[in-house]
């Protein structure tokens, strides 16, 4: 224990040298000298070397050293934010889905931004076996966007992020629930472009995209698929990239389908089961949507929900 000879304040930390009250050099409270630590010197084998000596190091001079450095994050975030489309909403654009863009980096993480209106709900169409909701993708077209492109032509909805490392996600409003439903979409990689992120079907998603839900994604160039789930600022892998001969390569059209029942979701490619997952992260009454990554121009059509 040390003591200040001026104010007589004591300090249990022997490594402290100055009084925190008045700055006076501290002394040991006891009259006994501080303990010593004996350090054995290495033996000298050379006959010309000086004889070994024994050093004495006292705890008096054994000062701790501190290094104060800023904490570094293992993940570097780069995110883009912008809110557009307010004028459309105020001028009769109506209520509807959310246009989202995220930035992918070293990890599968993303920051999402609401940048547009959502389409009105489509009325269900009943056939002999089931009720079908058909999402009118033509209502999701934006005239311009800083982050991506959209176009509807010849019955197909074209969608792409403006550059690699980015992805677009669009989801329907809450009326398009995929809970205990069969959700499907047809899509094609128009230019057979590379896409490390993939493109495909969103299901069991919150109406606010990228906060909760799943994406079933394919890459037709490598004939692989993967499954991810979203939470705020994160895209987490559920099923890693796997090869599938069921995927039609190049710019050929493929159909993706998610069949949800209770807590199990079967995921199909062109009518064949590719994998199945347990629903641990999906939103209750989660909705449908579409996903396009890495600047690849993807044409979607027939986004449907069957119950």
């Amino acid at each position: 224990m040390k003591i200040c000879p001026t104010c007589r304040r004591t300090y249990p930390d022997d490594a402290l040298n100055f009084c925190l009250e008045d700055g006076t050099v501290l002394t040991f409270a006891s009259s006994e000298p501080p303990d010593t630590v004996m350090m054995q010197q290495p033996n000298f084998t050379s006959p010309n070397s000086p004889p070994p000596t024994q050093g004495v190091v006292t705890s008096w001079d054994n000062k701790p050293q501190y290094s104060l450095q800023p904490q570094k994050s293992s993940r570097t975030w780069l995110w883009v934010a912008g809110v557009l489309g307010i004028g459309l909403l105020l001028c009769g654009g109506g209520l509807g889905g959310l246009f989202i863009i995220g930035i992918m980096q070293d990890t599968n993480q993303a920051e999402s931004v609401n940048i547009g209106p959502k389409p009105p709900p489509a009325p269900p169409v009943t056939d002999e076996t089931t009720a079908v909701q058909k999402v009118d993708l033509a209502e999701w077209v934006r005239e311009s966007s800083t982050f991506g492109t959209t176009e509807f032509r010849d019955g197909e909805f074209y969608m792409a992020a403006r550059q690699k490392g980015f992805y677009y996600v669009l989801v329907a409003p809450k009326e398009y629930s995929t809970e205990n439903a069969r959700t499907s979409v047809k899509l094609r990689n128009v230019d057979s472009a590379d896409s490390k992120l993939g493109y495909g079907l969103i299901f069991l998603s919150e109406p606010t995209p990228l906060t909760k839900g799943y994406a079933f994604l394919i890459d037709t160039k490598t004939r692989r698929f993967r499954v991810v789930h979203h939470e705020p600022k994160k895209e987490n892998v559920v099923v890693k990239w796997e090869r599938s001969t069921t995927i039609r390569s190049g710019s050929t059209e493929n159909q993706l389908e998610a069949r949800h029942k209770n807590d199990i979701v079967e995921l199909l490619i062109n009518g064949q089961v590719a994998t199945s997952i347990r629903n641990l992260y999906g939103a209750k009454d989660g909705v449908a949507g579409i996903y396009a990554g890495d600047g690849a121009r993807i044409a979607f059509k027939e986004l449907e929900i069957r119950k």
Side-chain angles (χ1 to χ4, degrees):
M1 178 179 296
K2 288 188 174 182
I3 188 170
C4 175
T6 301
C7 66
R8 310 302 297 172
R9 181 176 177 179
T10 60
Y11 296 90
D13 186 359
D14 289 345
L16 191 64
N17 293 319
F18 300 96
C19 178
L20 301 179
E21 192 71 25
D22 54 30
T24 303
V25 177
L26 301 178
T27 61
F28 280 90
S30 173
S31 59
E32 295 293 328
D35 294 335
T36 61
V37 179
M38 308 300 295
M39 300 183 65
Q40 183 65 42
Q41 300 293 329
N43 293 326
F44 293 88
T45 58
S46 172
N48 297 322
S49 300
T53 59
Q54 181 170 279
V56 179
V57 180
T58 70
S59 60
W60 188 284
D61 297 322
N62 189 21
K63 300 177 182 178
Q65 296 182 1
Y66 299 92
S67 175
L68 189 60
Q69 299 177 350
Q71 183 177 4
K72 295 182 179 179
S73 173
S74 61
R75 299 181 177 89
T76 302
W77 275 94
L78 173 65
W79 57 277
V80 177
V83 180
L84 305 176
I86 298 176
L88 290 175
L89 294 175
L90 296 177
C91 299
L95 302 177
L98 299 174
F99 289 71
I100 300 300
I101 187 168
I103 298 177
M104 300 297 294
Q105 296 213 200
D106 298 340
T107 58
N108 295 321
Q109 298 182 346
E111 175 75 302
S112 63
V113 183
N114 178 1
I115 60 171
K118 56 185 178 179
V125 178
T126 305
D127 57 26
E128 296 180 356
T129 59
T130 186
V132 181
Q133 279 185 300
K134 297 183 178 182
V135 181
D136 187 0
L137 295 177
E139 297 292 333
W140 287 13
V141 175
R142 291 181 56 82
E143 291 185 3
S144 63
S145 170
T146 304
F147 308 111
T149 60
T150 56
E151 178 187 4
F152 192 84
R153 175 164 43 88
D154 298 329
E156 292 181 307
F157 178 77
Y158 292 78
M159 166 181 160
R162 288 198 179 274
Q163 56 184 296
K164 289 186 176 297
F166 288 70
Y167 61 85
Y168 249 141
V169 171
L170 293 79
V171 303
K174 62 182 181 180
E175 290 81 3
Y176 294 93
S177 170
T178 60
E179 184 180 23
N180 290 320
R182 295 167 54 185
T183 307
S184 62
V185 69
K186 293 180 180 179
L187 72 163
R188 61 188 183 93
N189 185 343
V190 178
D191 307 306
S192 190
D194 294 328
S195 178
K196 293 182 180 179
L197 302 177
Y199 31 87
L201 177 66
I202 298 287
F203 61 95
L204 292 176
S205 169
E206 289 281 7
T208 300
L210 303 181
T211 57
K212 196 173 186 180
Y214 291 94
F216 180 29
L217 308 171
I218 62 173
D219 175 12
T220 58
K221 289 209 70 174
T222 59
R223 301 182 75 181
R224 298 185 304 168
F225 71 88
R226 70 175 181 140
V227 183
V228 300
H229 82 84
H230 292 120
E231 58 181 290
K233 299 185 181 180
K234 291 185 180 180
E235 181 176 271
N236 304 297
V237 175
V238 178
V239 177
K240 295 181 179 180
W241 282 113
E242 293 185 12
R243 295 191 180 277
S244 172
T245 57
T246 308
I247 298 174
R248 298 168 187 149
S249 61
S251 59
T252 307
E253 184 177 270
N254 288 270
Q255 183 182 51
L256 302 184
E257 183 177 352
R259 296 179 179 177
H260 176 232
K261 187 175 183 180
N262 300 324
D263 65 341
I264 300 297
V265 184
E266 284 189 330
L267 299 171
L268 294 82
I269 303 173
N270 298 319
Q272 301 294 318
V273 176
T275 189
S276 62
I277 62 172
R278 187 174 297 276
N279 177 27
L280 301 176
Y281 310 104
K284 181 175 176 59
D285 299 326
V287 301
I290 51 181
Y291 177 123
D294 260 331
R297 193 162 58 111
I298 310 301
F300 295 89
K301 70 179 183 180
E302 298 179 18
L303 177 56
E304 299 178 347
I305 304 164
R306 299 174 182 271
K307 294 185 178 181

